[in-house]
Amino acid sequence: MKAIISVSNKARVVEFARGLSALDVEIYSTGGTKQKLSEAGVPVNSVSKLTGFPEILDGRVKTLHPAIHGGILARRDIPDHLTQLAEHHIGLIDLVVVNLYPFAQTVARPDATLDDALENIDIGGPTMIRAAAKNFKGVVVVVDPDDYDLVLDELRTSGEVKEDTRRKLAAKAFQHTASYDTNIATYLRRSEDGLPRSFTVALEKLQDLRYGENPHQSAALYADSTLASRSGTLAGARQLHGKALSFTNTLDLEGAFNCARDFASVAVVIVKHANPCGLAVGDDLLEVFRRAYAGDPLSAFGGAIGFNRVVDAPTAKEIFQSYFEDIIAPGYTPEALEILKGKKDLRLLETEFTPNEPVSPWPASKWDFKRISGGFLVQTPDIVAEDDLTLKVVSEREPTREEIKDLVFAWRAVKHVKSNAIVLAKGMALVGIGAGQMSRVDSVGIAARKAGSRAVGSVLASDAFFPKQDGVEVAAENGVTAIIQPGGSIRDEDVIKVVNERGLAMVFTGRRHFKH
């Protein structure tokens, strides 16, 4: 039995090679792998012994040879293939152990150049992997060190690797090269504009989740392997405490994470079923949390909290008084962590917070994907810089300075609420939210009902224009004093007329914030 071992990730390769050698497997290797095995005392030959040709072009060409690929690709069940190998003095290769140059790690370096990237595109490795995977009935292909023990156990037990195992290893091998090519394509496409005609997404499983949206559904968390770093992402968060994540918990955490990082000031958001039910900004974390919680204490029960600042002990004590399931923050003081760990089931996640900033179409990791039957919808994210907002006053009354502050806050908040979305804000905190209704006037009514007496003197943000004046009338009847909305309806003049009759102020943004 012959094996070729040529790996970039050398974890446990010496132990694996020793195990193979003990089973009388003849090992051939290249470059750094051969050196490592030799230094460890594992009998190993150079692939040049198989090819009769030296490595050339600084190692760019070493395994691209008929003596290698003939031995891998020959069908054992076709006599003519074996005859041809014999005619050309080529032996069969039974085991290919290869993983690839560290392309993703290379381009993740801040100082990485295009030449660095190109030199770390593996050619011979993927070719051997694909050849072995294509011929898995006769060849075992191993790309993951986690599979070393499985292969050794089956060889020791029966002298061969089961065909079902070979098939599974081949599937993993093709996925390995597909993800590798995706990383390269993503890197080279970074200078392009627009959405490409075709592209692939490379995902790496991080963990199984407790269940999906419902307990009878299975689910897992995957990370985008093309990311240079998972820092500042939910996929890169560390769980410091609490039970395992479920699907819906993770979605709520993502909503809380994205909303909190959309504000430069101290911000606290409470999310329930993918919608904010409380949100406030200010200067003092404890005071901001209290105002966020006051937005809708009933709905906040069992929700996820997002912070864009390190959680301190006074805030942790306040959180402890109520029931929440999840918290995500850029950190926790030791005292806060000790307090919050007193809640057995409270999940505590920590990840670096970086402000939401507008991005060019690439990298693909920044895109927004929505699943449809048979495919995906893909769009650039709805991220707008704080200074990229032009307000056009369309009412007779100019909004006051305090109303302007609350209107701008409400406009950033409403984009995180499911459409049709209406939020009421006062004192830089949400006091009423209407989400996901088929009729905009119904969303206004729900937001006003949630706010109760707090609606008096509040401002309103609508994620899209008012199709007619009924929503504005309901807002005015409940004490709203100013409105921010995109404008653009054929009934804008009717809406503005009601605004003026009621003494409200209204500004148009010219930009919509639908979230479906």
Side-chain angles (χ1 to χ4, degrees):
M1 188 174 188
K2 290 180 182 177
I4 290 181
I5 304 179
S6 181
V7 292
S8 174
N9 176 5
K10 296 179 175 56
R12 300 176 54 215
V13 70
V14 170
E15 293 80 1
F16 182 51
R18 279 204 184 105
L20 293 175
S21 184
L23 295 169
D24 294 325
V25 175
E26 194 176 345
I27 298 172
Y28 294 82
S29 189
T30 62
T33 305
K34 179 179 180 297
Q35 181 179 346
K36 187 174 183 68
L37 297 181
S38 295
E39 290 173 350
V42 178
V44 59
N45 304 288
S46 170
V47 292
S48 296
K49 185 176 179 181
L50 289 177
T51 64
F53 203 88
E55 297 181 12
I56 62 171
L57 305 180
D58 299 320
R60 284 189 170 206
V61 179
K62 50 197 174 199
T63 60
L64 298 171
H65 194 281
I68 301 292
H69 291 281
I72 295 173
L73 284 167
R75 288 271 300 271
R76 276 64 172 168
D77 59 339
I78 299 179
D80 186 52
H81 280 199
L82 302 179
T83 299
Q84 289 182 54
L85 291 189
E87 288 175 355
H88 296 285
H89 308 289
I90 296 173
L92 291 171
I93 294 171
D94 310 286
L95 175 61
V96 172
V97 184
V98 175
N99 50 61
L100 307 174
Y101 293 171
F103 180 86
Q105 296 92 322
T106 297
V107 298
R109 297 198 322 256
D111 61 343
T113 65
L114 176 60
D115 283 344
D116 293 331
L118 296 178
E119 286 305 312
N120 277 276
I121 296 176
D122 202 326
I123 302 300
T127 307
M128 283 194 293
I129 289 171
R130 289 175 58 81
K134 172 185 172 73
N135 201 23
F136 73 85
K137 288 186 177 182
V139 183
V140 181
V141 59
V142 185
V143 297
D144 185 351
D146 287 344
D147 294 319
Y148 290 167
D149 289 342
L150 171 64
V151 171
L152 281 176
D153 286 345
E154 292 194 8
L155 287 173
R156 287 165 178 160
T157 301
S158 61
E160 64 179 6
V161 177
K162 299 173 186 174
E163 184 169 324
D164 183 60
T165 301
R166 294 169 185 244
R167 185 189 187 104
K168 290 175 181 177
L169 292 173
K172 181 180 280 192
F174 279 119
Q175 189 61 66
H176 184 63
T177 56
S179 296
Y180 191 76
D181 286 343
T182 297
N183 275 268
I184 296 168
T186 300
Y187 172 82
L188 294 176
R189 197 184 275 131
R190 284 179 181 175
S191 60
E192 294 183 12
D193 291 326
L195 301 172
R197 182 174 178 82
S198 65
F199 68 94
T200 52
V201 178
L203 301 177
E204 177 186 352
K205 187 176 180 180
L206 297 184
Q207 65 183 90
D208 289 310
L209 301 178
R210 292 175 65 215
Y211 48 80
E213 286 184 290
N214 300 289
H216 63 276
Q217 295 173 266
S218 300
L221 172 63
Y222 288 80
D224 183 346
S225 67
T226 65
L227 283 173
S229 169
R230 291 180 196 149
S231 176
T233 69
L234 180 58
R238 294 189 307 134
Q239 184 168 347
L240 306 179
H241 179 68
K243 58 188 176 184
L245 288 166
S246 73
F247 189 90
T248 51
N249 292 124
T250 308
L251 282 178
D252 281 354
L253 282 164
E254 175 71 357
F257 173 75
N258 278 327
C259 186
R261 70 200 292 236
D262 216 12
F263 294 89
S265 302
V266 176
V268 179
V269 58
I270 303 170
V271 170
K272 188 74 172 290
H273 294 295
N275 278 302
C277 59
L279 171 62
V281 300
D283 298 316
D284 179 78
L285 191 69
L286 175 58
E287 181 264 340
V288 171
F289 169 75
R290 285 172 171 164
R291 289 192 292 115
Y293 180 68
D296 188 349
L298 180 64
S299 298
F301 182 85
I305 314 174
F307 292 88
N308 66 357
R309 298 291 192 278
V310 172
V311 179
D312 56 25
T315 307
K317 289 178 182 178
E318 192 80 8
I319 293 170
F320 197 86
Q321 304 307 310
S322 303
Y323 175 68
F324 298 98
E325 290 200 352
D326 311 281
I327 300 176
I328 186 164
Y332 306 81
T333 66
E335 297 80 10
L337 201 55
E338 183 178 356
I339 293 166
L340 294 172
K341 282 185 174 180
K343 293 272 191 180
K344 180 182 176 182
D345 292 333
L346 176 62
R347 300 177 188 86
L348 303 177
L349 280 80
E350 177 182 79
T351 190
E352 179 182 337
F353 267 70
T354 53
N356 270 331
E357 295 178 350
V359 294
S360 59
W362 279 98
S365 58
K366 296 287 188 179
W367 290 350
D368 180 23
F369 292 80
K370 287 184 170 59
R371 186 76 167 96
I372 62 168
S373 56
F376 289 86
L377 294 171
V378 183
Q379 63 179 352
T380 55
D382 181 13
I383 297 176
V384 183
E386 288 196 1
D387 57 358
D388 187 19
L389 177 62
T390 302
L391 302 181
K392 178 184 178 183
V393 178
V394 295
S395 57
E396 292 175 355
R397 180 173 78 80
E398 293 269 348
T400 66
R401 181 177 297 179
E402 287 304 308
E403 285 174 334
I404 287 289
K405 286 175 59 179
D406 279 340
L407 286 169
V408 172
F409 163 75
W411 184 243
R412 292 195 78 78
V414 76
K415 81 173 193 179
H416 296 282
V417 180
K418 296 286 188 178
S419 301
N420 285 319
I422 297 289
V423 300
L424 303 185
K426 184 162 57 176
M428 303 294 279
L430 296 187
V431 296
I433 301 168
Q437 299 304 302
M438 289 67 74
S439 169
R440 189 159 299 278
V441 67
D442 286 342
S443 289
V444 177
I446 291 170
R449 179 172 61 81
K450 286 284 188 180
S453 62
R454 296 174 300 167
V456 177
S458 69
V459 306
L460 177 151
S462 174
D463 65 345
F465 62 64
F466 286 95
K468 49 187 177 179
Q469 58 267 41
D470 54 358
V472 174
E473 289 170 343
V474 172
E477 288 166 5
N478 283 275
V480 169
T481 64
I483 295 173
I484 186 169
Q485 59 133 321
S489 168
I490 59 173
R491 291 196 173 96
D492 276 348
E493 291 304 317
D494 296 335
V495 171
I496 294 170
K497 181 180 177 182
V498 173
V499 166
N500 290 331
E501 289 173 352
R502 298 290 190 134
L504 278 61
M506 178 178 280
V507 297
F508 283 179
T509 65
R511 189 190 296 267
R512 192 176 73 184
H513 275 322
F514 267 163
K515 183 180 181 184
H516 282 67

